[in-house]
C-alpha cells in the first residue's frame, strides 16, 4: 500500500495545524477573519500578493498562516517540484526571492500552489468558524 497522500489531505492537515485546538471564540474569529482576507487576496491577486499581504500584517494569525503556508512548500507531496526554501530565513526579502524563483516562474507550479493555498485557507476559515462555534456551546 502506498503512503502517498493527495494534495487535499495536505491542505486539510495544514489547516488543522493552523486552527489547532486551543482557541477561544475571539481567537477563532480573528483567525477566520485573517484567513478570509488572505483567501480574497490569493484568489484575486495570486500567491505572491497573498503572501505579501500576510507579511504586511502584524497579527499573530497572519504570522501563523504564512508560516504554515511556507512550510507546505517543503511537504513530501511537493518534493518532486523542489519548492522547499533552502535557507530557513523567513524575512520577506528571502521569501519573496524564493517565491519568484521557485513558484511564480512556472505557470503550472504557480496554479498548483495557488489552488493549494486557496483550499488550505478555505479549510482554515471554516475550521476556525467551527472552533468558535464549539467554544460558544462549551461556555
Amino acid at each position: 500500500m502506498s503512503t502517498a497522500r493527495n494534495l487535499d489531505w495536505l491542505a486539510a492537515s495544514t489547516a488543522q495545524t493552523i486552527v489547532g485546538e486551543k482557541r477561544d471564540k475571539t481567537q477563532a474569529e480573528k483567525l477566520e477573519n485573517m484567513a478570509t482576507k488572505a483567501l480574497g487576496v490569493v484568489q484575486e491577486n495570486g500567491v505572491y500578493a497573498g503572501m505579501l499581504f500576510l507579511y504586511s500584517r502584524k497579527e499573530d494569525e497572519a504570522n501563523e498562516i504564512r508560516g504554515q503556508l511556507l512550510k507546505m512548500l517543503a511537504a513530501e507531496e511537493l518534493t518532486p517540484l523542489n519548492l522547499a526554501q533552502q535557507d530557513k530565513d523567513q524575512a520577506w526579502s528571502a521569501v519573496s526571492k524564493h517565491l519568484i524563483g521557485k513558484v511564480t516562474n512556472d505557470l503550472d507550479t504557480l496554479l498548483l500552489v495557488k489552488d493549494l493555498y486557496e483550499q488550505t485557507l478555505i479549510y482554515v476559515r471554516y475550521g476556525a468558524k467551527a472552533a468558535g462555534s464549539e467554544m460558544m456551546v462549551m461556555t
Side-chain angles (χ1 to χ4, degrees):
M1 186 163 137
S2 173
T3 59
R5 298 179 186 109
N6 64 41
L7 295 181
D8 189 63
W9 177 90
L10 180 58
S13 63
T14 300
Q16 188 174 19
T17 299
I18 294 169
V19 173
E21 297 178 14
K22 302 176 214 160
R23 299 210 179 269
D24 64 25
K25 184 177 183 312
T26 303
Q27 290 172 323
E29 287 174 352
K30 287 180 179 180
L31 182 61
E32 178 188 356
N33 187 32
M34 184 59 65
T36 299
K37 289 177 181 179
L39 175 62
V41 174
V42 170
Q43 287 176 327
E44 292 295 319
N45 304 106
V47 170
Y48 187 88
M51 197 59 70
L52 181 58
F53 167 77
L54 289 168
Y55 267 88
S56 74
R57 305 304 298 244
K58 300 299 181 208
E59 295 90 339
D60 290 340
E61 296 81 15
N63 186 40
E64 194 170 348
I65 291 170
R66 77 173 181 243
Q68 290 299 319
L69 291 179
L70 287 171
K71 190 175 177 182
M72 283 178 82
L73 297 177
E76 179 183 339
E77 293 78 8
L78 298 176
T79 301
L81 299 175
N82 192 29
L83 298 178
Q85 189 174 352
Q86 297 306 313
D87 64 11
K88 299 304 176 195
D89 186 357
Q90 295 292 305
W92 172 244
S93 58
V95 170
S96 66
K97 287 177 186 170
H98 176 72
L99 290 173
I100 290 169
K102 294 283 188 173
V103 177
T104 65
N105 66 342
D106 177 68
L107 184 57
D108 290 335
T109 301
L110 176 61
L111 293 175
L112 175 76
V113 172
K114 183 176 187 251
D115 285 348
L116 188 58
Y117 278 11
E118 286 176 353
Q119 194 66 32
T120 303
L121 291 166
I122 289 167
Y123 288 153
V124 170
R125 188 168 117 186
Y126 291 124
K129 188 172 209 57
S133 295
E134 282 180 3
M135 293 299 161
M136 285 179 34
V137 171
M138 293 170 65
T139 56

